């Protein structure tokens, strides 16, 4: 238990340590909320990847394109339902946001299903070929995005109810960030319950440790693989949709741009660990925002530094999975 | 219950099993002995479908299983305790048992019986299995295999790394298991253990069965033991 608490302490150290450096309470609050929001969105995008890696031992470089596809699907729906999205009032907005998020998740899930069946299944157990074929798949889908939606950045106005900020004293907290934090927390809670309180979760956790033994106990792990892969892709789609509304635009490379951070998170957290992924994502999100303010030139480097430090401390990540 | 006929297994370019023939009669405990590297583990893994036989037949009851997938083989009622025990270290003892019970929550009476065999498991029920001692892990691995009644148990070196006192407990547990109508195939290095429990015996060497017979006959014939296993009489009281 003590061991499990330490990564949370690290999170606290980062948050509190940033306060004297930032030297302004309102700015610190804004940065912290922004960092948490970014972390939560990264968690949505990364949680599926870490489970896929842990369970199937598959390095899926195409995960980034599931994010892009989710983002484009959400953007298309939101732009098509502009009336509802820009109408005043949350209820009207939800009539656009709901379908947009569903479309993002469904399209990413369908793409994930196709990838697992056609591209990844023949190369289970062979990392080098996994990297090659998923990279190849990634390029193909990126080109398809260009064919369907064009090569240019598409601006995406955020739905009216999600714009603006809450003001606390001198600190401004964007509404959208609060929403992202809420969605991320809900997702983490739901995944925790699923993994720790259900039989499927038990199978997933056991499979991450030793898939062969799960089969020897009589479970058809192949079905579990497909289920986790599709669910992980759907979450990437959800993350992509949230990310698109956050950036207020979509572009072809957006998935690949966040993929670097996602890999850092998956490695920091411990391959296959959802809790590690959660804490790792928050660390990365906060670090990016604090350094973005304090030393903008170091923003990307800071996360690589974070990864190096974490791995020096725990070479197999914050919450290593027993293998 | 189980029979292998002309089973060959290749691992990569290596030809490991080179025509294995033996039978495990229903209701008996058969010992599979042999020197290190003889192919015993490979034999069990081939039965479980974890290596694919390149030739030969494996029969379990009336079903031919050499081409079936591992989960289907397990579902015929075959439980496997691998050499490394295959414990899920991050799961609790309870969760390990729960997972092994495919039919739902384990039966209370059966659990009580298992706790009787291995009291440590009750004590550490909510502990992460990775924190158990080596002996306790072995107990969990066997308990997991019998959490529901199974037709056939395949156990790979249950005494590996156990202290002599614990080996005594393990022998008792297998004696109790033999009273149920489970058919058991045990791979062993510990001759004392083998001799205390085995009804029949098969000895492997270099991927082939080189001896088949009754365990008590082999136990009584030290010259044959020395020839097959390189055992010296003094080492095994
Ligand atoms: N994964 C593998 N790859 C290559 N060779 C293997 C593999 N597994 C086993 N072998 C080889 O197959 C042969 C038989 O191994 P096996 O593990 O079946 O022996 P064993 O009788 O169980 O030995 P021990 O008593 O030491 O457990 C050995 O020569 C071993 O080196
Ligand atoms: Mg062996």
């Amino acid at each position: 238990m003590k061991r499990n608490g330490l990564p949370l302490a690290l999170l606290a150290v980062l948050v509190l340590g940033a306060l004297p450096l930032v030297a302004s309470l309102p700015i610190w609050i804004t940065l912290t909320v922004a960092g948490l929001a970014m972390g939560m969105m990264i968690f949505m995008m990364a949680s599926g990847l870490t489970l896929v890696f842990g369970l199937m031992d598959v390095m899926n470089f195409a995960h980034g394109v599931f994010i892009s596809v989710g983002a484009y699907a959400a953007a298309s729906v939101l732009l098509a339902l502009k009336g509802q999205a820009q109408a005043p009032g949350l209820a009207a907005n939800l009539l656009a946001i709901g379908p947009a998020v569903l479309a993002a998740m469904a399209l990413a899930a369908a793409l994930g299903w196709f990838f697992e069946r056609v591209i990844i299944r023949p190369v289970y157990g062979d990392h080098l070929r996994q990297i090659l074929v998923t990279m190849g798949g990634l390029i193909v889908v990126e080109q398809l995005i260009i064919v369907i939606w064009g090569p240019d950045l598409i601006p995406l106005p955020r739905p009216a109810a999600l714009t603006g900020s809450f003001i606390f004293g001198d600190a401004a907290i964007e509404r959208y960030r609060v929403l992202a934090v809420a969605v991320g927390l809900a997702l983490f809670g739901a995944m925790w319950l699923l993994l720790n309180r259900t039989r499927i979760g038990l199978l997933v956790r056991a499979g991450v440790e030793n898939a062969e033994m799960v089969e020897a106990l009589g479970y058809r792990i192949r079905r579990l693989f497909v289920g986790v892969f599709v669910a992980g892709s759907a979450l990437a789609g959800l993350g992509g949709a949230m990310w698109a509304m956050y950036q207020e635009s979509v572009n072809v490379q957006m998935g690949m741009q966040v993929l670097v951070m996602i890999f850092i998170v998956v490695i920091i957290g411990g391959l296959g660990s959802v809790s590690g992924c959660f804490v790792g994502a928050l660390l990365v999100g906060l670090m990016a925002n604090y350094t973005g303010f304090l030393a903008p030139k170091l923003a990307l480097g800071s996360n690589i530094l974070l990864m190096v430090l974490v791995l020096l401390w725990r070479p197999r990540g914050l919450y290593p999975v027993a293998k | 219950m189980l029979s292998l006929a002309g089973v060959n297994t290749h691992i990569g370019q290596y030809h490991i099993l080179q025509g294995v023939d033996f039978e495990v009669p229903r209701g008996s405990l058969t010992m599979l002995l042999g020197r290190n590297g003889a192919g015993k583990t490979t034999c069990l893994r081939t039965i479980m479908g974890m290596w694919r036989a390149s030739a030969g037949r494996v029969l379990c009851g009336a079903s031919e299983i050499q081409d079936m997938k591992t989960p289907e083989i397990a579902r015929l009622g075959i439980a496997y305790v691998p050499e490394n025990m295959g414990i899920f270290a991050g799961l609790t003892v309870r969760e390990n048992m729960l997972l092994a019970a495919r039919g739902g929550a384990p039966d209370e009476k059966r659990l009580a019986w298992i706790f009787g065999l291995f009291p440590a498991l009750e004590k550490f029920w909510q502990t992460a299995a990775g924190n158990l001692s080596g002996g306790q892990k072995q107990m969990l691995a066997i308990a997991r295999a019998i959490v529901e009644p199974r037709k056939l148990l395949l156990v790979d070196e249950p005494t590996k790394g156990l202290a002599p006192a614990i080996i005594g407990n393990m022998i008792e547990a297998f004696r109790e298991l033999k009273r149920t109508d489970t058919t058991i195939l045990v791979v062993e290095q510990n001759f004392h253990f083998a001799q205390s429990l085995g009804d029949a015996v098969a000895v492997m060497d270099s991927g082939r069965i080189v001896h088949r017979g009754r365990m008590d006959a082999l136990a009584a014939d030290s010259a044959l033991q020395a020839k097959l296993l390189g055992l010296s009489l003094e080492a095994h009281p």
Side-chain angles (χ1 to χ4, degrees), chain B:
Chain B
M1 178 76 215
L2 177 76
S3 81
L4 283 77
V7 171
N8 280 259
T9 300
H10 287 79
I11 303 179
Q13 78 225 47
Y14 302 105
H15 192 178
I16 310 288
L17 299 188
Q18 310 184 356
V20 171
D21 303 278
F22 72 94
E23 293 198 0
V24 179
R26 184 179 300 274
S28 77
L29 192 155
T30 300
M31 284 288 166
L32 183 59
L33 309 181
R35 296 186 174 92
N36 289 117
K40 308 179 295 294
T41 297
T42 307
C43 190
L44 294 194
R45 286 181 58 92
T46 305
I47 297 169
M48 283 309 291
M50 300 164 108
W51 298 125
R52 201 83 7 251
S54 47
R57 301 203 314 161
V58 182
L59 280 174
C60 176
S63 339
E64 225 175 83
I65 64 172
Q66 72 273 3
D67 296 323
M68 287 168 64
K69 294 200 170 114
T70 302
E72 273 69 42
I73 294 172
R75 279 164 183 268
L76 292 175
I78 306 183
Y80 173 51
V81 181
E83 197 170 356
N84 62 13
M85 300 177 283
I87 292 298
F88 302 113
L91 273 52
T92 62
V93 169
R94 177 179 152 270
E95 288 172 326
N96 270 276
M97 295 289 281
L98 228 72
L99 200 60
R102 280 195 305 275
D107 175 63
E108 288 295 324
K109 255 169 86 183
R110 190 143 183 113
L111 266 190
W113 176 68
I114 291 174
F115 289 154
L117 296 177
F118 305 118
L121 297 184
E122 186 166 22
K123 187 165 162 212
F124 295 109
W125 191 233
Q126 297 287 1
T127 306
N131 295 339
L132 297 178
S133 77
Q136 290 162 348
K137 279 183 190 149
Q138 191 62 261
M139 292 172 193
L140 173 57
I142 292 166
R144 209 170 55 171
I146 57 175
V147 64
E148 290 168 331
R150 302 277 182 240
K151 279 195 267 174
L152 175 65
L153 286 188
L154 309 175
V155 188
D156 201 342
E157 292 201 45
T159 64
K160 197 175 180 182
L162 297 194
I166 311 283
I167 293 184
N169 292 353
M170 202 52 98
I171 292 177
E172 283 312 310
F174 273 88
R175 286 218 170 102
E176 174 67 27
L177 260 181
K178 283 179 71 169
R179 284 185 209 119
T180 65
D181 68 345
T182 318
T183 309
I184 310 176
L185 173 63
V186 181
V187 165
E188 253 311 329
Q189 295 282 357
N190 183 311
F191 197 77
H192 169 61
F193 183 89
Q195 164 178 7
S196 314
L197 289 165
D199 302 315
V201 63
V203 181
M204 277 191 95
D205 198 17
S206 311
R208 286 197 180 83
I209 300 290
V210 292
H211 172 83
R212 269 174 302 199
R214 294 192 50 78
M215 189 68 225
D216 48 11
L218 179 62
D221 188 341
S222 50
L224 188 59
Q225 285 171 38
K227 181 177 150 246
L228 294 172
L229 303 164
L231 296 171
S232 71
L233 198 60
E234 289 78 14
H236 296 280

Side-chain angles (χ1 to χ4, degrees), chain A residues 80-145:
Chain A
L81 299 176
K82 216 179 236 156
Q84 285 86 335
Q86 297 310 326
L90 184 62
N93 289 177
L94 280 177
L95 286 178
I97 297 171
V101 167
L102 281 181
M105 292 179 76
L107 196 62
L111 190 64
W113 180 82
F114 177 82
F115 258 72
E116 198 280 337
R117 265 204 103 83
V118 176
I119 297 186
I120 294 176
R121 195 169 289 183
V123 294
Y124 273 123
D126 184 343
H127 283 151
L128 184 61
R129 285 171 70 201
Q130 281 162 14
I131 294 173
L132 292 176
V133 297
T134 56
M135 283 279 199
L138 159 88
I139 294 169
V140 171
V141 178
E142 271 191 1
Q143 295 305 312
L144 283 176
I145 291 178

Side-chain angles (χ1 to χ4, degrees), chain A residues 195-196 199 202-203 205-207 209-221 322, chain B residues 45 48 50 70-72 74-75 80 82 86-91 95 98-99 101-102 144:
Chain A
L195 284 172
N196 292 288
R199 196 165 183 86
L202 194 56
L203 273 169
R205 283 187 296 141
E209 277 192 43
N210 186 345
E212 190 180 53
M213 194 61 215
V214 171
E215 288 202 290
L217 291 177
Y219 297 97
R220 301 178 183 102
I221 202 146
Chain B
R45 286 181 58 92
M48 283 309 291
M50 300 164 108
T70 302
E72 273 69 42
R75 279 164 183 268
Y80 173 51
I87 292 298
F88 302 113
L91 273 52
E95 288 172 326
L98 228 72
L99 200 60
R102 280 195 305 275
R144 209 170 55 171

